[in-house]
PDB file of all heavy atoms in Angstrom:
ATOM      1  N   PHE A1213     -41.943  -5.434  71.189  1.00 90.00           N
ATOM      2  CA  PHE A1213     -42.291  -4.941  69.865  1.00 90.00           C
ATOM      3  C   PHE A1213     -41.037  -4.515  69.107  1.00 90.00           C
ATOM      4  O   PHE A1213     -40.920  -4.742  67.902  1.00 90.00           O
ATOM      5  CB  PHE A1213     -43.259  -3.755  69.988  1.00 90.00           C
ATOM      6  CG  PHE A1213     -43.681  -3.184  68.667  1.00 90.00           C
ATOM      7  CD1 PHE A1213     -44.706  -3.764  67.949  1.00 90.00           C
ATOM      8  CD2 PHE A1213     -43.049  -2.071  68.143  1.00 90.00           C
ATOM      9  CE1 PHE A1213     -45.097  -3.246  66.714  1.00 90.00           C
ATOM     10  CE2 PHE A1213     -43.431  -1.542  66.925  1.00 90.00           C
ATOM     11  CZ  PHE A1213     -44.462  -2.132  66.205  1.00 90.00           C
ATOM     12  N   MET A1217     -39.686  -5.822  65.533  1.00 93.00           N
ATOM     13  CA  MET A1217     -39.406  -4.939  64.402  1.00 93.00           C
ATOM     14  C   MET A1217     -37.997  -5.175  63.856  1.00 93.00           C
ATOM     15  O   MET A1217     -37.774  -5.071  62.643  1.00 93.00           O
ATOM     16  CB  MET A1217     -39.570  -3.483  64.824  1.00 93.00           C
ATOM     17  CG  MET A1217     -39.453  -2.481  63.688  1.00 93.00           C
ATOM     18  SD  MET A1217     -40.730  -2.723  62.424  1.00 93.00           S
ATOM     19  CE  MET A1217     -42.169  -2.108  63.314  1.00 93.00           C
ATOM     20  N   PHE A1259     -47.233  -3.361  50.406  1.00 93.00           N
ATOM     21  CA  PHE A1259     -47.959  -2.397  51.227  1.00 93.00           C
ATOM     22  C   PHE A1259     -49.020  -3.108  52.068  1.00 93.00           C
ATOM     23  O   PHE A1259     -49.143  -2.886  53.281  1.00 93.00           O
ATOM     24  CB  PHE A1259     -48.612  -1.335  50.339  1.00 93.00           C
ATOM     25  CG  PHE A1259     -49.530  -0.391  51.070  1.00 93.00           C
ATOM     26  CD1 PHE A1259     -49.022   0.720  51.723  1.00 93.00           C
ATOM     27  CD2 PHE A1259     -50.899  -0.625  51.113  1.00 93.00           C
ATOM     28  CE1 PHE A1259     -49.865   1.582  52.410  1.00 93.00           C
ATOM     29  CE2 PHE A1259     -51.748   0.230  51.794  1.00 93.00           C
ATOM     30  CZ  PHE A1259     -51.230   1.342  52.444  1.00 93.00           C
ATOM     31  N   TRP A1263     -48.683  -3.251  56.205  1.00 95.00           N
ATOM     32  CA  TRP A1263     -49.705  -2.581  57.003  1.00 95.00           C
ATOM     33  C   TRP A1263     -50.686  -3.587  57.593  1.00 95.00           C
ATOM     34  O   TRP A1263     -51.178  -3.394  58.723  1.00 95.00           O
ATOM     35  CB  TRP A1263     -50.430  -1.536  56.157  1.00 95.00           C
ATOM     36  CG  TRP A1263     -49.606  -0.297  55.974  1.00 95.00           C
ATOM     37  CD1 TRP A1263     -48.534  -0.146  55.145  1.00 95.00           C
ATOM     38  CD2 TRP A1263     -49.766   0.958  56.655  1.00 95.00           C
ATOM     39  NE1 TRP A1263     -48.009   1.120  55.257  1.00 95.00           N
ATOM     40  CE2 TRP A1263     -48.748   1.827  56.162  1.00 95.00           C
ATOM     41  CE3 TRP A1263     -50.670   1.427  57.600  1.00 95.00           C
ATOM     42  CZ2 TRP A1263     -48.618   3.136  56.626  1.00 95.00           C
ATOM     43  CZ3 TRP A1263     -50.549   2.745  58.051  1.00 95.00           C
ATOM     44  CH2 TRP A1263     -49.526   3.575  57.571  1.00 95.00           C
ATOM     45  N   HIS A1266     -49.275  -5.157  60.670  1.00 94.00           N
ATOM     46  CA  HIS A1266     -49.109  -4.226  61.777  1.00 94.00           C
ATOM     47  C   HIS A1266     -50.429  -3.673  62.279  1.00 94.00           C
ATOM     48  O   HIS A1266     -50.445  -2.789  63.149  1.00 94.00           O
ATOM     49  CB  HIS A1266     -48.157  -3.087  61.377  1.00 94.00           C
ATOM     50  CG  HIS A1266     -46.724  -3.518  61.343  1.00 94.00           C
ATOM     51  ND1 HIS A1266     -46.134  -4.015  60.196  1.00 94.00           N
ATOM     52  CD2 HIS A1266     -45.772  -3.556  62.303  1.00 94.00           C
ATOM     53  CE1 HIS A1266     -44.885  -4.337  60.456  1.00 94.00           C
ATOM     54  NE2 HIS A1266     -44.637  -4.065  61.719  1.00 94.00           N
ATOM     55  N   ALA A1267     -51.543  -4.183  61.748  1.00 94.00           N
ATOM     56  CA  ALA A1267     -52.835  -3.920  62.364  1.00 94.00           C
ATOM     57  C   ALA A1267     -52.876  -4.666  63.702  1.00 94.00           C
ATOM     58  O   ALA A1267     -52.235  -5.717  63.856  1.00 94.00           O
ATOM     59  CB  ALA A1267     -53.963  -4.385  61.449  1.00 94.00           C
ATOM     60  N   MET A1323     -41.682   5.286  51.376  1.00 93.00           N
ATOM     61  CA  MET A1323     -42.598   6.308  51.878  1.00 93.00           C
ATOM     62  C   MET A1323     -43.581   5.730  52.881  1.00 93.00           C
ATOM     63  O   MET A1323     -43.788   6.302  53.963  1.00 93.00           O
ATOM     64  CB  MET A1323     -43.342   6.943  50.701  1.00 93.00           C
ATOM     65  CG  MET A1323     -42.454   7.751  49.771  1.00 93.00           C
ATOM     66  SD  MET A1323     -43.299   8.263  48.253  1.00 93.00           S
ATOM     67  CE  MET A1323     -44.600   9.283  48.947  1.00 93.00           C
ATOM     68  N   HIS A1324     -44.194   4.578  52.562  1.00 93.00           N
ATOM     69  CA  HIS A1324     -45.207   4.093  53.489  1.00 93.00           C
ATOM     70  C   HIS A1324     -44.593   3.458  54.737  1.00 93.00           C
ATOM     71  O   HIS A1324     -45.207   3.478  55.814  1.00 93.00           O
ATOM     72  CB  HIS A1324     -46.212   3.156  52.798  1.00 93.00           C
ATOM     73  CG  HIS A1324     -45.748   1.779  52.472  1.00 93.00           C
ATOM     74  ND1 HIS A1324     -45.487   0.821  53.411  1.00 93.00           N
ATOM     75  CD2 HIS A1324     -45.552   1.167  51.269  1.00 93.00           C
ATOM     76  CE1 HIS A1324     -45.150  -0.304  52.832  1.00 93.00           C
ATOM     77  NE2 HIS A1324     -45.168  -0.129  51.525  1.00 93.00           N
ATOM     78  N   MET A1325     -43.365   2.933  54.644  1.00 93.00           N
ATOM     79  CA  MET A1325     -42.697   2.460  55.858  1.00 93.00           C
ATOM     80  C   MET A1325     -42.318   3.624  56.757  1.00 93.00           C
ATOM     81  O   MET A1325     -42.416   3.535  57.988  1.00 93.00           O
ATOM     82  CB  MET A1325     -41.454   1.635  55.493  1.00 93.00           C
ATOM     83  CG  MET A1325     -41.739   0.200  55.145  1.00 93.00           C
ATOM     84  SD  MET A1325     -40.233  -0.799  55.163  1.00 93.00           S
ATOM     85  CE  MET A1325     -40.924  -2.410  54.803  1.00 93.00           C
ATOM     86  N   THR A1326     -41.881   4.718  56.157  1.00 93.00           N
ATOM     87  CA  THR A1326     -41.578   5.909  56.940  1.00 93.00           C
ATOM     88  C   THR A1326     -42.828   6.419  57.647  1.00 93.00           C
ATOM     89  O   THR A1326     -42.786   6.793  58.827  1.00 93.00           O
ATOM     90  CB  THR A1326     -40.990   7.011  56.036  1.00 93.00           C
ATOM     91  OG1 THR A1326     -39.775   6.535  55.436  1.00 93.00           O
ATOM     92  CG2 THR A1326     -40.698   8.276  56.828  1.00 93.00           C
ATOM     93  N   LEU A1327     -43.949   6.427  56.934  1.00 94.00           N
ATOM     94  CA  LEU A1327     -45.207   6.882  57.525  1.00 94.00           C
ATOM     95  C   LEU A1327     -45.635   5.971  58.670  1.00 94.00           C
ATOM     96  O   LEU A1327     -46.017   6.455  59.749  1.00 94.00           O
ATOM     97  CB  LEU A1327     -46.291   6.925  56.449  1.00 94.00           C
ATOM     98  CG  LEU A1327     -47.707   7.289  56.930  1.00 94.00           C
ATOM     99  CD1 LEU A1327     -47.717   8.655  57.590  1.00 94.00           C
ATOM    100  CD2 LEU A1327     -48.693   7.236  55.770  1.00 94.00           C
ATOM    101  N   LEU A1328     -45.574   4.656  58.460  1.00 95.00           N
ATOM    102  CA  LEU A1328     -45.977   3.726  59.512  1.00 95.00           C
ATOM    103  C   LEU A1328     -45.052   3.850  60.721  1.00 95.00           C
ATOM    104  O   LEU A1328     -45.514   3.835  61.875  1.00 95.00           O
ATOM    105  CB  LEU A1328     -45.969   2.295  58.978  1.00 95.00           C
ATOM    106  CG  LEU A1328     -46.369   1.194  59.969  1.00 95.00           C
ATOM    107  CD1 LEU A1328     -47.737   1.473  60.578  1.00 95.00           C
ATOM    108  CD2 LEU A1328     -46.360  -0.173  59.286  1.00 95.00           C
ATOM    109  N   GLY A1329     -43.755   3.980  60.466  1.00 94.00           N
ATOM    110  CA  GLY A1329     -42.829   4.164  61.577  1.00 94.00           C
ATOM    111  C   GLY A1329     -43.133   5.419  62.371  1.00 94.00           C
ATOM    112  O   GLY A1329     -43.082   5.426  63.607  1.00 94.00           O
ATOM    113  N   ALA A1330     -43.469   6.492  61.670  1.00 95.00           N
ATOM    114  CA  ALA A1330     -43.805   7.741  62.345  1.00 95.00           C
ATOM    115  C   ALA A1330     -45.081   7.593  63.168  1.00 95.00           C
ATOM    116  O   ALA A1330     -45.171   8.123  64.299  1.00 95.00           O
ATOM    117  CB  ALA A1330     -43.952   8.866  61.324  1.00 95.00           C
ATOM    118  N   LEU A1331     -46.079   6.876  62.645  1.00 94.00           N
ATOM    119  CA  LEU A1331     -47.317   6.661  63.391  1.00 94.00           C
ATOM    120  C   LEU A1331     -47.052   5.876  64.671  1.00 94.00           C
ATOM    121  O   LEU A1331     -47.610   6.183  65.734  1.00 94.00           O
ATOM    122  CB  LEU A1331     -48.329   5.921  62.514  1.00 94.00           C
ATOM    123  CG  LEU A1331     -48.926   6.720  61.348  1.00 94.00           C
ATOM    124  CD1 LEU A1331     -49.813   5.814  60.497  1.00 94.00           C
ATOM    125  CD2 LEU A1331     -49.733   7.911  61.857  1.00 94.00           C
ATOM    126  N   LEU A1332     -46.215   4.845  64.575  1.00 94.00           N
ATOM    127  CA  LEU A1332     -45.874   4.056  65.763  1.00 94.00           C
ATOM    128  C   LEU A1332     -45.104   4.897  66.773  1.00 94.00           C
ATOM    129  O   LEU A1332     -45.293   4.770  67.996  1.00 94.00           O
ATOM    130  CB  LEU A1332     -45.051   2.842  65.349  1.00 94.00           C
ATOM    131  CG  LEU A1332     -45.781   1.782  64.509  1.00 94.00           C
ATOM    132  CD1 LEU A1332     -44.789   0.787  63.924  1.00 94.00           C
ATOM    133  CD2 LEU A1332     -46.829   1.058  65.347  1.00 94.00           C
ATOM    134  N   LEU A1333     -44.228   5.756  66.281  1.00 94.00           N
ATOM    135  CA  LEU A1333     -43.414   6.587  67.160  1.00 94.00           C
ATOM    136  C   LEU A1333     -44.244   7.651  67.860  1.00 94.00           C
ATOM    137  O   LEU A1333     -44.057   7.919  69.056  1.00 94.00           O
ATOM    138  CB  LEU A1333     -42.295   7.248  66.344  1.00 94.00           C
ATOM    139  CG  LEU A1333     -41.455   8.320  67.061  1.00 94.00           C
ATOM    140  CD1 LEU A1333     -40.715   7.724  68.252  1.00 94.00           C
ATOM    141  CD2 LEU A1333     -40.487   8.962  66.074  1.00 94.00           C
ATOM    142  N   LEU A1334     -45.164   8.266  67.128  1.00 95.00           N
ATOM    143  CA  LEU A1334     -45.887   9.427  67.654  1.00 95.00           C
ATOM    144  C   LEU A1334     -47.206   9.071  68.329  1.00 95.00           C
ATOM    145  O   LEU A1334     -47.863   9.953  68.894  1.00 95.00           O
ATOM    146  CB  LEU A1334     -46.153  10.418  66.513  1.00 95.00           C
ATOM    147  CG  LEU A1334     -44.907  10.977  65.824  1.00 95.00           C
ATOM    148  CD1 LEU A1334     -45.296  11.859  64.655  1.00 95.00           C
ATOM    149  CD2 LEU A1334     -44.037  11.741  66.811  1.00 95.00           C
ATOM    150  N   SER A1335     -47.607   7.800  68.272  1.00 92.00           N
ATOM    151  CA  SER A1335     -48.858   7.413  68.921  1.00 92.00           C
ATOM    152  C   SER A1335     -48.793   7.693  70.420  1.00 92.00           C
ATOM    153  O   SER A1335     -47.815   7.320  71.090  1.00 92.00           O
ATOM    154  CB  SER A1335     -49.133   5.927  68.686  1.00 92.00           C
ATOM    155  OG  SER A1335     -50.280   5.516  69.419  1.00 92.00           O
ATOM    156  N   PRO A1336     -49.818   8.335  71.000  1.00 93.00           N
ATOM    157  CA  PRO A1336     -49.788   8.647  72.436  1.00 93.00           C
ATOM    158  C   PRO A1336     -50.116   7.452  73.326  1.00 93.00           C
ATOM    159  O   PRO A1336     -50.046   7.554  74.550  1.00 93.00           O
ATOM    160  CB  PRO A1336     -50.855   9.741  72.569  1.00 93.00           C
ATOM    161  CG  PRO A1336     -51.829   9.434  71.475  1.00 93.00           C
ATOM    162  CD  PRO A1336     -51.002   8.898  70.327  1.00 93.00           C
ATOM    163  N   ARG A1337     -50.485   6.322  72.736  1.00 92.00           N
ATOM    164  CA  ARG A1337     -50.830   5.133  73.522  1.00 92.00           C
ATOM    165  C   ARG A1337     -50.365   3.883  72.784  1.00 92.00           C
ATOM    166  O   ARG A1337     -50.059   3.927  71.591  1.00 92.00           O
ATOM    167  CB  ARG A1337     -52.342   5.057  73.743  1.00 92.00           C
ATOM    168  CG  ARG A1337     -53.137   4.961  72.452  1.00 92.00           C
ATOM    169  CD  ARG A1337     -54.630   4.898  72.720  1.00 92.00           C
ATOM    170  NE  ARG A1337     -55.399   4.828  71.480  1.00 92.00           N
ATOM    171  CZ  ARG A1337     -55.635   3.711  70.796  1.00 92.00           C
ATOM    172  NH1 ARG A1337     -55.143   2.551  71.244  1.00 92.00           N
ATOM    173  NH2 ARG A1337     -56.336   3.725  69.683  1.00 92.00           N
ATOM    174  N   THR A1338     -50.320   2.794  73.488  1.00 88.00           N
ATOM    175  CA  THR A1338     -49.962   1.532  72.850  1.00 88.00           C
ATOM    176  C   THR A1338     -51.104   1.080  71.946  1.00 88.00           C
ATOM    177  O   THR A1338     -52.280   1.252  72.268  1.00 88.00           O
ATOM    178  CB  THR A1338     -49.684   0.443  73.903  1.00 88.00           C
ATOM    179  OG1 THR A1338     -50.808   0.326  74.766  1.00 88.00           O
ATOM    180  CG2 THR A1338     -48.447   0.792  74.715  1.00 88.00           C
ATOM    181  N   LEU A1339     -50.761   0.519  70.800  1.00 90.00           N
ATOM    182  CA  LEU A1339     -51.751   0.118  69.806  1.00 90.00           C
ATOM    183  C   LEU A1339     -52.088  -1.362  69.858  1.00 90.00           C
ATOM    184  O   LEU A1339     -53.030  -1.803  69.207  1.00 90.00           O
ATOM    185  CB  LEU A1339     -51.233   0.463  68.408  1.00 90.00           C
ATOM    186  CG  LEU A1339     -50.912   1.941  68.158  1.00 90.00           C
ATOM    187  CD1 LEU A1339     -50.327   2.120  66.749  1.00 90.00           C
ATOM    188  CD2 LEU A1339     -52.146   2.802  68.340  1.00 90.00           C
ATOM    189  N   TYR A1340     -51.314  -2.125  70.631  1.00 87.00           N
ATOM    190  CA  TYR A1340     -51.456  -3.573  70.606  1.00 87.00           C
ATOM    191  C   TYR A1340     -51.736  -4.105  72.008  1.00 87.00           C
ATOM    192  O   TYR A1340     -51.112  -3.664  72.986  1.00 87.00           O
ATOM    193  CB  TYR A1340     -50.188  -4.223  70.056  1.00 87.00           C
ATOM    194  CG  TYR A1340     -49.786  -3.669  68.712  1.00 87.00           C
ATOM    195  CD1 TYR A1340     -48.705  -2.801  68.585  1.00 87.00           C
ATOM    196  CD2 TYR A1340     -50.512  -3.990  67.569  1.00 87.00           C
ATOM    197  CE1 TYR A1340     -48.344  -2.283  67.351  1.00 87.00           C
ATOM    198  CE2 TYR A1340     -50.158  -3.480  66.335  1.00 87.00           C
ATOM    199  CZ  TYR A1340     -49.081  -2.619  66.222  1.00 87.00           C
ATOM    200  OH  TYR A1340     -48.731  -2.105  64.999  1.00 87.00           O
ATOM    201  N   LEU A1355     -45.198   1.521  75.981  1.00 89.00           N
ATOM    202  CA  LEU A1355     -45.254   2.592  74.990  1.00 89.00           C
ATOM    203  C   LEU A1355     -43.854   2.900  74.457  1.00 89.00           C
ATOM    204  O   LEU A1355     -43.668   3.106  73.247  1.00 89.00           O
ATOM    205  CB  LEU A1355     -45.873   3.849  75.592  1.00 89.00           C
ATOM    206  CG  LEU A1355     -46.002   5.050  74.632  1.00 89.00           C
ATOM    207  CD1 LEU A1355     -46.841   4.685  73.418  1.00 89.00           C
ATOM    208  CD2 LEU A1355     -46.596   6.250  75.373  1.00 89.00           C
ATOM    209  N   GLN A1358     -42.898   0.299  71.950  1.00 91.00           N
ATOM    210  CA  GLN A1358     -43.545   0.542  70.655  1.00 91.00           C
ATOM    211  C   GLN A1358     -42.880   1.691  69.923  1.00 91.00           C
ATOM    212  O   GLN A1358     -42.662   1.626  68.704  1.00 91.00           O
ATOM    213  CB  GLN A1358     -45.026   0.853  70.880  1.00 91.00           C
ATOM    214  CG  GLN A1358     -45.782   1.204  69.603  1.00 91.00           C
ATOM    215  CD  GLN A1358     -47.234   1.502  69.872  1.00 91.00           C
ATOM    216  OE1 GLN A1358     -48.008   0.591  70.195  1.00 91.00           O
ATOM    217  NE2 GLN A1358     -47.637   2.764  69.759  1.00 91.00           N
ATOM    218  N   GLN A1359     -42.532   2.737  70.624  1.00 93.00           N
ATOM    219  CA  GLN A1359     -41.885   3.885  69.993  1.00 93.00           C
ATOM    220  C   GLN A1359     -40.512   3.508  69.449  1.00 93.00           C
ATOM    221  O   GLN A1359     -40.118   3.959  68.374  1.00 93.00           O
ATOM    222  CB  GLN A1359     -41.780   5.030  70.990  1.00 93.00           C
ATOM    223  CG  GLN A1359     -43.124   5.647  71.349  1.00 93.00           C
ATOM    224  CD  GLN A1359     -43.040   6.630  72.500  1.00 93.00           C
ATOM    225  OE1 GLN A1359     -42.134   6.553  73.337  1.00 93.00           O
ATOM    226  NE2 GLN A1359     -43.981   7.557  72.554  1.00 93.00           N
ATOM    227  N   ALA A1360     -39.786   2.656  70.183  1.00 92.00           N
ATOM    228  CA  ALA A1360     -38.483   2.196  69.692  1.00 92.00           C
ATOM    229  C   ALA A1360     -38.645   1.405  68.402  1.00 92.00           C
ATOM    230  O   ALA A1360     -37.862   1.551  67.457  1.00 92.00           O
ATOM    231  CB  ALA A1360     -37.795   1.347  70.760  1.00 92.00           C
ATOM    232  N   GLY A1361     -39.692   0.562  68.342  1.00 93.00           N
ATOM    233  CA  GLY A1361     -39.960  -0.169  67.110  1.00 93.00           C
ATOM    234  C   GLY A1361     -40.292   0.758  65.953  1.00 93.00           C
ATOM    235  O   GLY A1361     -39.863   0.530  64.822  1.00 93.00           O
ATOM    236  N   GLY A1362     -41.029   1.826  66.246  1.00 94.00           N
ATOM    237  CA  GLY A1362     -41.341   2.804  65.208  1.00 94.00           C
ATOM    238  C   GLY A1362     -40.097   3.479  64.674  1.00 94.00           C
ATOM    239  O   GLY A1362     -39.965   3.700  63.458  1.00 94.00           O
ATOM    240  N   VAL A1363     -39.169   3.808  65.561  1.00 95.00           N
ATOM    241  CA  VAL A1363     -37.912   4.435  65.135  1.00 95.00           C
ATOM    242  C   VAL A1363     -37.118   3.485  64.244  1.00 95.00           C
ATOM    243  O   VAL A1363     -36.549   3.892  63.223  1.00 95.00           O
ATOM    244  CB  VAL A1363     -37.078   4.847  66.362  1.00 95.00           C
ATOM    245  CG1 VAL A1363     -35.675   5.278  65.942  1.00 95.00           C
ATOM    246  CG2 VAL A1363     -37.761   5.982  67.119  1.00 95.00           C
ATOM    247  N   MET A1365     -38.279   1.071  62.316  1.00 94.00           N
ATOM    248  CA  MET A1365     -38.901   0.999  60.989  1.00 94.00           C
ATOM    249  C   MET A1365     -38.653   2.271  60.201  1.00 94.00           C
ATOM    250  O   MET A1365     -38.315   2.225  59.018  1.00 94.00           O
ATOM    251  CB  MET A1365     -40.404   0.755  61.109  1.00 94.00           C
ATOM    252  CG  MET A1365     -41.149   0.892  59.776  1.00 94.00           C
ATOM    253  SD  MET A1365     -42.875   0.386  59.837  1.00 94.00           S
ATOM    254  CE  MET A1365     -42.716  -1.371  59.534  1.00 94.00           C
ATOM    255  N   LEU A1366     -38.813   3.409  60.863  1.00 91.00           N
ATOM    256  CA  LEU A1366     -38.663   4.696  60.182  1.00 91.00           C
ATOM    257  C   LEU A1366     -37.254   4.854  59.617  1.00 91.00           C
ATOM    258  O   LEU A1366     -37.082   5.239  58.453  1.00 91.00           O
ATOM    259  CB  LEU A1366     -38.979   5.818  61.180  1.00 91.00           C
ATOM    260  CG  LEU A1366     -39.246   7.217  60.639  1.00 91.00           C
ATOM    261  CD1 LEU A1366     -40.064   8.007  61.649  1.00 91.00           C
ATOM    262  CD2 LEU A1366     -37.935   7.954  60.380  1.00 91.00           C
TER     263      LEU A1366
END
Side-chain angles (χ1 to χ4, degrees):
F1213 180 83
M1217 186 62 73
F1259 173 84
W1263 283 76
H1266 285 91
M1323 293 171 62
H1324 75 69
M1325 278 195 177
T1326 299
L1327 176 59
L1328 180 55
L1331 290 175
L1332 293 168
L1333 172 62
L1334 299 176
S1335 175
R1337 61 180 179 83
T1338 55
L1339 301 177
Y1340 306 106
L1355 181 58
Q1358 177 180 289
Q1359 291 171 335
V1363 170
M1365 171 172 274
L1366 196 157

